[in-house]
């Protein structure tokens, strides 16, 4: 029932944006991710939508901000937000909760993103988020830029980020341009 509702939402998103359904290849809500009945940020992935912007030749990963309700996993967005500790990341320190969310997002969303990029050679990747989604987008972008594993994205993929109301998420003396 939930999966059917998300699928209906995906087709409504395409219609409202004036896109073919194939240009919205994936939509997901946190309730579809992680172990059923488990309320842990280790497997919590905030809501996201993947769209293909043909006019701008970009695959867009839209990452929602803190949802809270409805849904039994929504409050985990706030747990992720309010994890008040840092974790080592790329020679610096990152917000531990949002870093975990970025890793989870990479596991849940990146396969669809990579598939869309492979189906659309030469397209860039645009990560868009607000609030929690902005922090996730920024950490995911840094990870993709710094990762030497060429298998994650097609070779030469340009990665850009547009974020609104991002929390402070990362500081690194070895990457001062990101402070």
């Amino acid at each position: 029932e939930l999966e059917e509702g998300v699928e209906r939402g995906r087709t409504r998103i395409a219609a409202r944006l004036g896109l073919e359904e194939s240009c919205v290849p994936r939509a997901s809500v946190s309730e579809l991710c992680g172990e059923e009945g488990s309320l842990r940020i280790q497997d919590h992935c905030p809501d996201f939508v993947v769209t293909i912007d043909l006019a701008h030749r970009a695959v867009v990963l839209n990452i929602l901000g803190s949802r809270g309700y409805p849904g039994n996993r929504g409050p985990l967005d706030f747990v992720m937000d309010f994890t008040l500790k840092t974790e080592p990341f790329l020679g610096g320190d990152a917000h531990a909760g949002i870093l975990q969310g970025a890793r989870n997002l990479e596991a849940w969303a990146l396969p669809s993103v990579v598939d869309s990029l492979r189906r659309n050679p030469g397209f860039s990747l645009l990560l868009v988020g607000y609030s929690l989604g902005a922090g996730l987008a920024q950490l995911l972008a840094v990870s993709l830029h710094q990762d030497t594993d060429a298998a994650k994205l097609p070779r030469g993929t340009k990665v850009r980020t547009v974020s609104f109301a991002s929390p402070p998420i990362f500081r690194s003396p070895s990457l001062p341009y990101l402070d």
Side-chain angles (χ1 to χ4, degrees):
E1 182 178 308
L2 179 61
E3 289 176 358
E4 292 171 1
V6 171
E7 177 60 18
R8 285 191 305 274
R10 184 189 70 78
T11 59
R12 280 196 312 268
I13 289 168
R16 287 188 180 165
L17 293 175
L19 300 173
E20 297 291 326
E21 284 184 29
S22 62
C23 287
V24 184
R26 176 103 193 267
S28 184
V29 295
S30 61
E31 286 78 13
L32 295 176
C33 306
E35 297 176 29
E36 190 171 334
S38 172
L39 294 176
R40 311 172 313 140
I41 67 166
Q42 288 77 9
D43 61 3
H44 174 69
C45 184
D47 303 353
F48 66 89
V49 177
V50 177
T51 59
I52 300 171
D53 184 337
L54 299 173
H56 292 99
R57 298 182 47 79
V59 173
V60 184
L61 175 57
N62 303 278
I63 310 164
L64 278 67
S66 304
R67 175 166 52 108
Y69 296 96
N72 63 341
R73 292 182 64 88
L76 286 173
D77 284 354
F78 295 110
V79 173
M80 202 170 268
D81 276 332
F82 297 128
T83 300
L84 301 176
K85 61 181 182 176
T86 61
E87 183 175 318
F89 179 65
L90 297 175
D93 295 303
H95 183 292
I98 296 175
L99 179 59
Q100 182 63 56
R103 289 175 175 148
N104 296 345
L105 189 65
E106 189 172 316
W108 286 94
L110 204 58
S112 179
V113 166
V114 169
D115 181 60
S116 296
L117 287 166
R118 287 192 176 128
R119 291 175 187 264
N120 296 280
F123 277 39
S124 64
L125 171 58
L126 177 61
L127 305 169
V128 178
Y130 66 92
S131 186
L132 172 62
L136 292 164
Q138 290 177 3
L139 283 179
L140 184 56
V142 169
S143 177
L144 292 171
H145 274 291
Q146 297 299 315
D147 198 327
T148 57
D149 179 7
K152 283 192 179 174
L153 295 177
R155 185 178 195 93
T157 301
K158 182 178 180 180
V159 179
R160 298 171 293 143
T161 304
V162 175
S163 56
F164 304 91
S166 179
I169 49 136
F170 180 61
R171 184 166 184 83
S172 173
S174 63
L175 301 171
Y177 62 93
L178 295 173
D179 283 345

